[in-house]
Amino acid sequence: MADHYKSILVAVDGSKEAEYAFQKSIDVAHRNKGSILNIVNIIDTRSFEAYERSIFDTAQKQSEELLNGYKARAEAEGVENVKIVIEYGSPKSIITNELTNLVEADLIICGATGLNAVERFLIGSVSEAIVRSAKCDVLVIRTP
């Protein structure tokens, strides 16, 4: 029997690339019965230093709405174990270092060019960083 993934982490950020990754994560969760689907959004706090609390609160609210929407969709499509996780900091280091351990992921799914609305100049580098430093399998989704 092929390897069975137990804890799947999919990183979402509201981009269409993340949408493709989410769709694929549903398929993978279905093929790995009993697995947990961890839907993760990272609030990039590096961009907030010069701003006030309200911007941070807005970002957190948007993150919660995004994740709750994805969770509802995953459950509607029959995925039984869905967790949502909001983390704060640099997406690159958070996904590769902290999150993988936190949810004990054995598979990370991400879009090819994770697009962060605040820091568009980072395009592409988040998925590259994940591939370079993740301790588990990584599935980079390029197309719908």
Side-chain angles (χ1 to χ4, degrees):
M1 184 174 153
D3 278 348
H4 182 85
Y5 292 115
K6 294 177 185 67
S7 182
I8 301 158
L9 187 159
V10 60
V12 297
D13 59 5
S15 66
K16 69 177 191 299
E17 289 83 7
E19 172 67 24
Y20 305 152
F22 171 73
Q23 288 295 337
K24 181 66 78 173
S25 76
I26 299 273
D27 297 341
V28 174
H30 281 310
R31 286 199 300 270
N32 291 267
K33 293 283 176 232
S35 61
I36 298 169
L37 179 59
N38 301 278
I39 309 173
V40 177
N41 179 244
I42 287 101
I43 296 176
D44 194 339
T45 48
R46 293 170 305 169
S47 0
F48 296 152
E49 283 151 343
Y51 300 109
E52 67 218 81
R53 182 83 202 165
S54 65
I55 291 180
F56 183 81
D57 291 341
T58 301
Q60 186 162 346
K61 202 163 151 194
Q62 286 172 336
S63 181
E64 284 167 10
E65 284 170 13
L66 179 73
L67 291 175
N68 285 327
Y70 275 127
K71 181 176 197 229
R73 285 174 53 196
E75 288 172 342
E77 293 194 43
V79 179
E80 284 168 21
N81 305 319
V82 184
K83 288 185 184 167
I84 57 175
V85 183
I86 299 176
E87 282 287 331
Y88 307 88
S90 154
K92 275 193 283 193
S93 61
I94 295 272
I95 290 178
T96 53
N97 304 331
E98 294 162 43
L99 275 180
T100 317
N101 298 332
L102 182 71
V103 302
E104 295 180 332
D106 48 14
L107 176 66
I108 298 175
I109 302 178
C110 61
T113 56
L115 201 55
N116 179 311
V118 183
E119 293 193 342
R120 297 192 183 274
F121 63 87
L122 274 182
I123 289 177
S125 61
V126 173
S127 53
E128 285 163 29
I130 293 170
V131 169
R132 266 199 311 274
S133 59
K135 297 172 183 73
C136 63
D137 291 355
V138 179
L139 181 57
V140 179
I141 309 302
R142 300 199 174 277
T143 53

Short mmCIF file of all heavy atoms in Angstrom, two decimals, residues 22 64-74:
data_model
loop_
_atom_site.label_atom_id
_atom_site.label_comp_id
_atom_site.label_asym_id
_atom_site.label_seq_id
_atom_site.Cartn_x
_atom_site.Cartn_y
_atom_site.Cartn_z
N PHE A 22 -5.73 24.72 -2.43
CA PHE A 22 -6.82 24.27 -1.56
C PHE A 22 -7.64 23.17 -2.23
O PHE A 22 -7.94 22.14 -1.62
CB PHE A 22 -7.72 25.45 -1.18
CG PHE A 22 -8.98 25.02 -0.47
CD1 PHE A 22 -8.94 24.58 0.84
CD2 PHE A 22 -10.20 25.04 -1.13
CE1 PHE A 22 -10.10 24.16 1.49
CE2 PHE A 22 -11.36 24.63 -0.50
CZ PHE A 22 -11.31 24.19 0.82
N GLU A 64 -9.45 35.25 9.59
CA GLU A 64 -10.47 34.36 10.15
C GLU A 64 -11.57 34.08 9.14
O GLU A 64 -12.02 32.94 9.00
CB GLU A 64 -11.07 34.97 11.42
CG GLU A 64 -10.15 34.87 12.62
CD GLU A 64 -10.59 35.75 13.79
OE1 GLU A 64 -11.72 36.30 13.74
OE2 GLU A 64 -9.80 35.89 14.74
N GLU A 65 -12.00 35.13 8.42
CA GLU A 65 -13.06 34.95 7.42
C GLU A 65 -12.60 34.03 6.30
O GLU A 65 -13.33 33.14 5.86
CB GLU A 65 -13.49 36.31 6.85
CG GLU A 65 -14.37 37.10 7.80
CD GLU A 65 -14.59 38.54 7.34
OE1 GLU A 65 -14.26 38.86 6.18
OE2 GLU A 65 -15.10 39.33 8.15
N LEU A 66 -11.36 34.26 5.84
CA LEU A 66 -10.79 33.44 4.77
C LEU A 66 -10.76 31.96 5.19
O LEU A 66 -11.23 31.08 4.47
CB LEU A 66 -9.36 33.92 4.46
CG LEU A 66 -8.58 33.18 3.38
CD1 LEU A 66 -9.13 33.54 2.00
CD2 LEU A 66 -7.11 33.51 3.45
N LEU A 67 -10.21 31.71 6.38
CA LEU A 67 -10.07 30.33 6.86
C LEU A 67 -11.41 29.67 7.15
O LEU A 67 -11.60 28.50 6.83
CB LEU A 67 -9.18 30.30 8.11
CG LEU A 67 -7.70 30.62 7.86
CD1 LEU A 67 -6.95 30.68 9.17
CD2 LEU A 67 -7.08 29.60 6.92
N ASN A 68 -12.33 30.41 7.75
CA ASN A 68 -13.65 29.83 8.03
C ASN A 68 -14.38 29.47 6.74
O ASN A 68 -15.07 28.46 6.67
CB ASN A 68 -14.49 30.78 8.90
CG ASN A 68 -14.03 30.78 10.35
OD1 ASN A 68 -13.58 29.77 10.86
ND2 ASN A 68 -14.12 31.93 10.99
N GLY A 69 -14.19 30.30 5.71
CA GLY A 69 -14.78 30.01 4.40
C GLY A 69 -14.21 28.73 3.82
O GLY A 69 -14.95 27.87 3.32
N TYR A 70 -12.90 28.58 3.88
CA TYR A 70 -12.25 27.37 3.37
C TYR A 70 -12.67 26.15 4.19
O TYR A 70 -12.90 25.07 3.64
CB TYR A 70 -10.72 27.51 3.39
CG TYR A 70 -10.16 28.20 2.17
CD1 TYR A 70 -9.32 29.30 2.29
CD2 TYR A 70 -10.45 27.74 0.88
CE1 TYR A 70 -8.79 29.93 1.16
CE2 TYR A 70 -9.93 28.36 -0.24
CZ TYR A 70 -9.10 29.45 -0.10
OH TYR A 70 -8.59 30.05 -1.21
N LYS A 71 -12.75 26.31 5.51
CA LYS A 71 -13.13 25.18 6.38
C LYS A 71 -14.53 24.71 6.02
O LYS A 71 -14.77 23.50 5.88
CB LYS A 71 -13.08 25.61 7.85
CG LYS A 71 -13.44 24.48 8.79
CD LYS A 71 -13.30 24.88 10.26
CE LYS A 71 -13.25 23.63 11.09
NZ LYS A 71 -14.07 23.52 12.20
N ALA A 72 -15.45 25.65 5.83
CA ALA A 72 -16.84 25.30 5.48
C ALA A 72 -16.87 24.55 4.15
O ALA A 72 -17.61 23.57 3.99
CB ALA A 72 -17.70 26.56 5.42
N ARG A 73 -16.07 25.01 3.19
CA ARG A 73 -16.04 24.36 1.88
C ARG A 73 -15.48 22.94 1.98
O ARG A 73 -16.01 22.01 1.37
CB ARG A 73 -15.23 25.18 0.89
CG ARG A 73 -15.98 26.41 0.40
CD ARG A 73 -15.14 27.30 -0.46
NE ARG A 73 -14.54 26.58 -1.57
CZ ARG A 73 -13.51 27.07 -2.28
NH1 ARG A 73 -12.99 28.24 -1.98
NH2 ARG A 73 -13.03 26.38 -3.29
N ALA A 74 -14.40 22.78 2.76
CA ALA A 74 -13.79 21.46 2.92
C ALA A 74 -14.79 20.49 3.55
O ALA A 74 -14.95 19.35 3.10
CB ALA A 74 -12.52 21.56 3.77
#
